[in-house]
Amino acid sequence: MIDLNADLGEGFGRWRLTDDDALLTSVTSANVACGFHAGDPLTMRRVCERAAADGVRIGAQVSYRDLAGFGRRSMDVPAAELAAEVAYQIGALEIFARAAGAGVAYVKPHGALYNRCVRDSVQAAAVVEGVRTAGAALPVLGLPGSELHGAATAAGLPVIDEAFADRGYRPDGTLVPRGETGAVITDPEQVLARSLAIAAGKDVTAVDGTPLRLSARSLCVHGDTPDAASLARRIREELSGAGITVRAFA
C-alpha cells in the first residue's frame, strides 16, 4: 500500500501552473500551496473544495516567503520568524479546508525549505515548532532520515517517509539539487518504472549508477512536471495493476 501525492494550487492570480482538477482524479493526497511560494486565497479555496469532494487528503505545503523564486531559493530566515510563518500558512489553509468540510491532514515543506530541513537542524526545528503552534499534531511528510523527521519525532509528531517518482537521487538518499544533471526525470517510462520499484520495496538507481533502496509510505509526482496529470494517472494505474493499493496515509 502506498500514498500518491502531488503539489497543487501552484498558481497566483491569473497565472496557473498545475492542472489541479485533473491531478485530483489520481492522487490521494494534495500538497496545497499556501501563498508563500505560490497560491492565493481563491485558488486555495477551490483546491480544498475539489479535494474534499473527491476524498483527497489536504496537506499544507509550507515554504519560504519567495513568490518570485517559487520557493526554490534557500533563505536564511530566523527560527522564530520561520516558525511563525509556517503556522500562518497552515492556519490560512485550514480555514478553506474546514469550509470545504475537511481539514488540513498533514504538512510538507516545499522546495528549498524541504531540502534545507534535510540537514539543517535549526530550520527543521523551526518548521516543527510552526506545526505545533498551528495547534494540531499533524503528520510531517519528508525525506527519510532527515533532520525534519528527527525534530518532528522528538516533538511527538508522526512522520511519513516520502520518495519522488520524478527526481534523481544521490547515493546517500538525498535529492540531486535542481540545476544539476539528473535532478529531474522527464522520461515517463522511467518515472513509471521507478514508481513501481519504490512501491514494491525494490532498488532504484542513484545518479551515479549505484543501487539505492528508498523507504516510502508516500510517492510524490511534481505538479509542474510536464504532463503531470497524465503521468499521475498512469502511475496510479500501473500501481493498481501490480496489486499495490493506492491509499492516503492520513
Side-chain angles (χ1 to χ4, degrees):
M1 182 174 68
I2 197 164
D3 171 66
L4 182 61
N5 78 75
D7 305 337
L8 300 179
E10 290 186 325
F12 194 82
R14 296 179 62 185
W15 179 67
R16 294 286 182 269
L17 178 63
T18 50
D19 188 348
D20 298 327
D21 287 349
L23 281 165
L24 285 167
T25 65
S26 298
V27 301
T28 49
S29 296
N31 317 317
V32 184
C34 299
F36 272 39
H37 76 281
D40 57 66
L42 184 57
T43 299
M44 292 163 67
R45 181 171 186 173
R46 286 173 175 165
V47 174
C48 285
E49 288 174 346
R50 178 63 190 271
D54 289 350
V56 176
R57 298 296 187 269
I58 297 168
Q61 190 172 36
V62 298
S63 172
Y64 288 125
R65 188 190 293 270
D66 182 26
L67 276 175
F70 197 61
R72 288 179 174 162
R73 299 183 292 190
S74 186
M75 305 177 75
D76 292 319
V77 181
E81 183 178 346
L82 179 59
E85 291 189 340
V86 167
Y88 179 94
Q89 292 174 78
I90 297 169
L93 187 64
E94 178 67 20
I95 290 173
F96 298 118
R98 286 186 182 179
V104 173
Y106 65 95
V107 176
K108 174 184 174 179
H110 164 80
L113 182 57
Y114 186 102
N115 292 319
R116 182 77 171 266
C117 287
V118 171
R119 301 189 185 281
D120 190 321
S121 60
V122 175
Q123 296 278 280
V127 170
V128 169
E129 181 59 28
V131 177
R132 296 179 63 197
T133 300
L138 295 173
V140 176
L141 183 61
L143 209 65
S146 62
E147 291 289 341
L148 176 65
H149 275 189
T153 299
L157 302 180
V159 297
I160 307 298
D161 289 345
E162 178 181 36
F164 292 84
D166 52 8
R167 289 295 309 276
Y169 279 85
R170 290 169 164 169
D172 64 356
T174 60
L175 297 175
V176 177
R178 286 182 180 271
E180 293 187 11
T181 302
V184 180
I185 301 170
T186 57
D187 179 2
E189 300 307 318
Q190 189 177 352
V191 173
L192 289 169
R194 173 162 291 201
S195 299
L196 285 169
I198 292 170
K202 298 179 180 179
D203 289 346
V204 298
T205 303
V207 70
D208 67 347
T210 60
L212 179 66
R213 185 69 54 89
L214 299 173
S215 170
R217 288 179 59 195
S218 186
L219 182 66
C220 177
V221 57
H222 282 89
D224 62 340
T225 296
D227 205 16
S230 175
L231 188 58
R233 175 181 53 78
R234 290 187 64 193
I235 290 172
R236 182 155 187 173
E237 289 174 351
E238 292 285 342
L239 292 173
S240 297
I244 298 168
T245 301
V246 182
R247 181 183 300 166
F249 61 81

